[in-house]
């Protein structure tokens, strides 16, 4: 399979229909390794759907049809084996969904185990610790790694889901409102982690967020979806300072 | 908060039916218990620990009974059947839920219809098939080679003369309870929330790895399926009677004919009135069977409710 080394995510003229209803109406986007792309837009505008196309989870919806092109590096996402696509990506879901039958430790360890990332138990523990630290959960759970997710609070579960994704050290990190239930201080620290990960691991980060402040703090690029259309897309600074679209102006009010 | 009136009405209408079925079970249990008393008084615990079956007509002093062989036979056949049915049922769930693409709904429903038909087939049909088809096949192609090459293992040490033995009964039972275990596991499997499926797939799992994770989530219902299947296997009568061999051997060797409690009752109950204590002994064994069934089914149902609470 032809596959270039880069893991740029390229979306060209992407159209998604669910039960015949157009959900995404011709999206063109690019997210580059080492940078963070923030996707904004009102509820129901198609943000989660876009993310699910990139890792082919959209396949789980039998009434969805997808047209257009999506590439991760040289990998043609829409025609590839979904397994190959998902091996390059990791996702944090809008609703926290750690596995109920696995301990905190195992929830984070499962990805590295599946991908064979750890050569020894010590390696594995190191990765788990790293991922939990980056997710701002380590301090709270380091003494109770054998506990189960139902013993955690909602925000802790969300951070656990984040840790599970980070532990994979994916080429492409897909985040669907990963800090929605998390307090402002931890949110800031998680944002720092994400910046570090993008920079140090050359990860391509795509993050859905409802808070323009968050986009302003971490994003290199901002894309705004409105009713399935891409109404704004560009370097974060430009979008924030000179928004073209009326809706963008509205949501960015108060940021500057 | 007060319940709406029609709910109460509904409750009262159902009460007689619900309490009737409970009453029947209690009545049954008490009849078994009361009628077991003579045997318990005479033989005590040795009923459970000895392997004897020597009824003597009209002579209560000479008659002697010990149920060890059928009791162990029931436990062994039901256990082997359960252990064999779990991987088969799980593989069927794997094929129907993960390997077949979602588009092939027809094939999926064909599988579940087939399984339902299998579950509903009269057990005598299984019994006849087991005795006439399965047993000779196993004898020629499995038991004889097994005895020849693995005879050094005590479980296969006895020479198989007919195909009617403990192992055939176990395998037939496993075929009979697999549809049931499958139904329990599949039911839970299809109810795993989409968010967990997505989480697992998003990790880049293969179909098999994904299936393993999903099974982990519904593990209590695997155990529940096993317990409920065990209950069925332990109480199954007609089919087992036809293939188990009906001999009072302790099941040290799986290739020798044996007995189970239900087969014993089915075979002996007709003659029981002629022999002192035999009826009481049989009812006692029935009581033990009832107890075994109640315990495994209750444990299974508790397990199932745990899955519901978790997922
Ligand atoms: N499984 C589905 N079946 C039918 N319609 C769906 C499904 N998933 C999404 N949609 C529709 O697609 C549109 C976009 O949904 P999506 O979840 O992508 O929105 P979103 O931008 O993520 O919204 P939010 O900010 O509320 O998460 C919505 O109109 C929604 O009704
Ligand atoms: Mg969404």
């Amino acid at each position: 399979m032809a596959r270039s080394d880069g893991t740029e995510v390229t979306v060209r003229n992407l159209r998604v229909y669910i039960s015949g209803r157009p959900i995404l109406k011709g999206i063109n986007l690019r997210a580059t390794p080492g940078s963070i792309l923030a996707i904004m837009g009102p509820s129901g505008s198609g943000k989660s759907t876009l993310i699910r196309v990139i890792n082919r989870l959209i396949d789980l919806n039998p009434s969805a049809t997808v047209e257009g092109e999506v590439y991760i590096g040289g990998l043609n996402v829409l025609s590839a084996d979904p397994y190959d696509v998902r091996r390059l990506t990791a996702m944090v879901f809008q609703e926290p969904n750690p596995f109920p039958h696995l301990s905190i430790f195992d929830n984070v360890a499962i990805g590295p185990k599946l991908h064979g990332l750890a050569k020894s138990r010590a390696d594995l523990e190191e990765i788990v610790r790293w991922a939990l630290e980056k997710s701002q959960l380590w301090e709270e759970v380091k003494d109770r790694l054998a506990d189960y997710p139902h013993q955690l609070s909602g925000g802790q579960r969300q951070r656990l889901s984040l840790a599970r994704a980070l532990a994979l050290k994916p080429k492409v990190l897909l985040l669907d409102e990963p800090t929605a239930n998390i307090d402002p201080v931890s949110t800031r620290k998680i944002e720092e982690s994400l910046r570090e990960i993008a920079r140090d691991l050359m990860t391509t980060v795509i993050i859905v967020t409802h808070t323009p402040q968050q986009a302003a703090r971490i994003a290199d690029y901002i894309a705004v979806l409105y009713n399935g259309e891409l109404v704004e897309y560009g370097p974060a600074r430009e979008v924030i300072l000179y928004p073209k679209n009326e809706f963008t102006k509205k949501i960015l009010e108060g940021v500057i | 908060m007060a319940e709406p009136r029609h709910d109460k009405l509904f409750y009262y209408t159902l009460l007689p039916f619900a309490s009737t079925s409970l009453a029947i079970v209690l009545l049954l249990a008490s009849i078994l218990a009361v009628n077991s008393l003579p045997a318990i008084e005479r033989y005590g615990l040795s009923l459970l620990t000895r392997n004897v079956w020597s009824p003597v007509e009209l002579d209560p002093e000479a008659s002697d009974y010990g149920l060890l062989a059928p009791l162990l036979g029931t436990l062994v056949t039901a256990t082997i059947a359960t252990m064999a049915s779990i991987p088969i049922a799980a593989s069927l769930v794997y094929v129907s839920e993960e390997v077949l693409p979602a588009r092939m709904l027809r094939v999926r429903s064909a599988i579940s219809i087939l399984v339902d038909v299998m579950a509903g087939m009269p057990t005598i049909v299984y019994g006849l098939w087991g005795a006439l088809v399965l047993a000779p096949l196993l004898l020629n192609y499995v038991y004889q080679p097994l005895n020849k090459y693995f005879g050094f293992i005590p479980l296969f040490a006895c020479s198989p003369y007919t195909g009617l033995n403990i192992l055939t009964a176990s395998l037939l039972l496993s075929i009979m309870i697999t549809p049931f275990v499958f139904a329990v596991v599949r039911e839970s499997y299809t109810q795993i929330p989409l968010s967990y499926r997505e989480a697992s797939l998003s990790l880049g799992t293969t179909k098999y790895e994904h299936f393993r994770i999903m099974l982990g989530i519904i593990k209590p219902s695997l155990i529940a399926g096993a317990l409920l299947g065990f209950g069925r296997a332990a109480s199954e009568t007609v089919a087992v009677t036809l293939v188990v061999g009906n001999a009072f051997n302790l099941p040290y060797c799986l290739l020798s004919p044996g007995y189970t409690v239900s087969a014993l009752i089915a075979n002996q109950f007709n003659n029981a009135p002629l022999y002192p204590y035999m009826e009481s002994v049989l009812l006692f064994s029935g009581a033990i069977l009832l107890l075994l069934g109640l315990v495994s089914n209750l444990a299974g149902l508790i397990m199932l409710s745990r899955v519901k609470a978790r997922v």
Side-chain angles (χ1 to χ4, degrees):
Chain A
M1 197 182 310
R3 187 189 293 181
S4 79
D5 285 341
T7 49
E8 197 170 67
V9 175
T10 316
V11 176
R12 280 194 215 111
N13 203 19
L14 176 69
R15 287 168 196 280
V16 174
Y17 303 85
I18 296 181
S19 314
R21 197 160 68 87
I23 303 296
L24 292 177
K25 307 167 180 170
I27 306 292
N28 291 285
L29 270 183
R30 238 157 71 134
T32 48
S35 73
I36 299 183
L37 165 66
I39 298 179
M40 305 192 62
S43 188
S45 56
K47 306 179 296 295
S48 298
T49 306
L50 175 59
I51 298 274
R52 279 186 168 75
V53 171
I54 297 172
N55 66 1
R56 289 280 298 272
L57 279 186
I58 191 87
D59 293 18
L60 294 189
N61 184 346
S63 50
T65 49
V66 181
E67 294 167 5
E69 285 175 21
V70 178
Y71 281 88
I72 297 177
L75 182 72
N76 184 338
V77 167
L78 298 182
S79 65
D81 183 342
Y83 169 81
D84 290 329
V85 176
R86 295 173 192 148
R87 276 267 157 160
L88 297 175
T89 63
M91 174 163 178
V92 176
F93 296 80
Q94 201 165 349
E95 301 296 330
N97 54 1
F99 295 117
H101 66 302
L102 297 182
S103 66
I104 294 173
F105 182 91
D106 287 335
N107 259 288
V108 185
I110 186 168
K113 276 190 200 160
L114 286 168
H115 290 212
L117 296 183
K119 293 186 182 51
S120 63
R121 177 76 195 179
D123 258 7
L124 189 63
E125 280 169 11
E126 184 52 41
I127 295 175
V128 169
R129 179 184 174 142
W130 174 85
L132 284 168
E133 278 173 354
K134 293 291 167 194
S135 312
Q136 294 301 311
L137 191 56
W138 175 251
E139 287 303 322
E140 286 153 67
V141 301
K142 65 182 174 195
D143 299 320
R144 46 186 292 217
L145 291 171
D147 280 4
Y148 285 82
H150 68 86
Q151 294 162 292
L152 297 177
S153 74
Q156 287 174 324
R157 259 179 277 156
Q158 195 165 30
R159 281 174 283 162
L160 182 57
S161 311
L162 176 62
R164 177 178 65 194
L166 295 183
L168 287 167
K169 307 209 171 162
K171 299 273 190 268
V172 178
L173 185 57
L174 305 168
L175 308 164
D176 200 346
E177 297 184 46
T179 58
N181 300 312
I182 298 173
D183 67 85
V185 177
S186 302
T187 295
R188 292 296 186 95
K189 289 188 177 150
I190 290 173
E191 288 167 358
E192 276 166 36
S193 303
L194 293 176
R195 285 237 57 98
E196 267 173 47
I197 287 168
R199 186 188 64 221
D200 299 345
L201 304 178
M202 284 308 275
T203 307
T204 307
V205 181
I206 301 180
I207 179 172
V208 173
T209 175
H210 274 296
T211 45
Q213 287 84 354
Q214 181 166 59
R217 286 194 297 267
I218 62 170
D220 301 294
Y221 296 87
I222 294 179
V224 181
L225 287 178
Y226 190 83
N227 196 16
E229 284 175 65
L230 186 71
V231 293
E232 193 97 46
Y233 173 55
R237 220 183 114 75
E238 265 173 47
V239 171
I240 290 167
L241 291 178
Y242 315 106
K244 295 184 214 108
N245 179 274
E246 278 309 307
F247 174 75
T248 316
K249 280 181 197 156
K250 221 185 252 167
I251 59 169
L252 289 177
E253 254 166 37
V255 175
I256 333 167
Chain B
M1 198 172 62
E3 288 174 57
R5 181 184 293 187
H6 58 269
D7 272 9
K8 262 197 181 148
L9 201 64
F10 187 59
Y11 175 74
Y12 287 124
T13 346
L14 285 184
L15 206 56
F17 300 105
S19 45
T20 307
S21 44
L22 186 66
I24 289 177
V25 172
L26 289 178
L27 197 68
L28 200 74
S30 57
I31 288 175
L32 288 176
V34 168
N35 287 298
S36 314
L37 282 178
I40 300 174
E41 269 165 20
R42 175 157 162 81
Y43 301 108
L45 270 185
S46 75
L47 268 180
L48 298 175
T49 55
R50 291 181 315 137
N51 177 24
V52 199
W53 196 263
S54 53
V56 179
E57 223 169 328
L58 300 176
D59 186 354
E61 289 309 309
S63 293
D64 196 11
Y65 304 96
L67 293 164
L68 188 60
L71 283 174
L72 283 183
T74 293
L75 289 177
V76 168
T77 51
T79 304
I80 297 178
T82 307
M83 306 234 281
S85 72
I86 293 170
I88 305 174
S91 328
L92 277 173
V93 173
Y94 180 52
V95 169
S96 86
E97 298 304 312
E98 296 298 344
V99 176
L100 293 175
R103 279 175 280 109
M104 298 175 70
L105 256 181
R106 283 252 179 103
V107 185
R108 284 187 185 190
S109 52
I111 291 183
S112 50
I113 289 172
L114 186 76
V115 167
D116 283 347
V117 168
M118 278 182 69
M121 222 148 53
T123 52
I124 185 78
V125 175
Y126 282 101
L128 290 174
W129 176 78
L132 299 176
V133 182
L134 184 65
L137 273 179
L138 287 172
L139 176 66
N140 290 330
Y141 298 107
V142 181
Y143 298 158
Q144 277 165 355
L146 209 55
N147 176 247
K148 193 163 162 199
Y149 299 110
F150 295 95
F152 59 89
I153 302 172
L155 287 177
F156 309 125
C158 48
S159 333
Y161 294 113
T162 71
L164 305 181
N165 58 32
I166 292 278
L167 192 51
T168 304
S170 311
L171 296 177
L172 185 64
L173 279 174
S174 81
I175 295 172
M176 294 175 69
I177 64 172
T178 292
F180 190 69
V181 180
F182 169 81
V184 171
V185 176
R186 202 185 83 125
E187 169 80 12
S188 306
Y189 197 90
T190 52
Q191 278 169 10
I192 298 173
L194 180 66
S195 66
Y196 294 140
R197 295 172 187 275
E198 288 189 322
S200 160
L201 290 170
S202 76
L203 298 174
T205 44
T206 61
K207 276 185 178 148
Y208 178 65
E209 290 164 344
H210 174 65
F211 181 66
R212 290 273 305 271
I213 295 175
M214 296 297 106
L215 273 194
I217 295 178
I218 57 157
K219 192 162 162 204
S221 78
L222 268 184
I223 300 172
L227 286 165
L228 296 173
F230 181 89
R232 294 220 143 185
S235 58
E236 168 49 41
T237 310
V238 179
V240 175
T241 309
L242 289 178
V243 299
V244 74
N246 301 322
F248 287 91
N249 295 322
L250 293 178
Y252 295 132
C253 174
L254 300 179
L255 305 184
S256 72
Y259 235 139
T260 68
V261 171
S262 46
L264 176 74
I265 299 176
N267 277 323
Q268 306 284 344
F269 201 72
N270 274 341
N271 332 320
L274 298 178
Y275 300 95
Y277 292 109
M278 192 195 274
E279 208 167 53
S280 180
V281 168
L282 290 178
L283 287 170
F284 172 71
S285 70
I288 291 183
L289 206 56
L290 181 70
L291 197 69
L292 197 66
L294 278 181
V295 168
S296 59
N297 281 308
L298 261 182
L301 292 175
I302 291 170
M303 272 291 168
L304 268 188
S305 65
R306 273 188 34 189
V307 186
K308 301 234 163 77
R310 180 150 96 178
V311 173

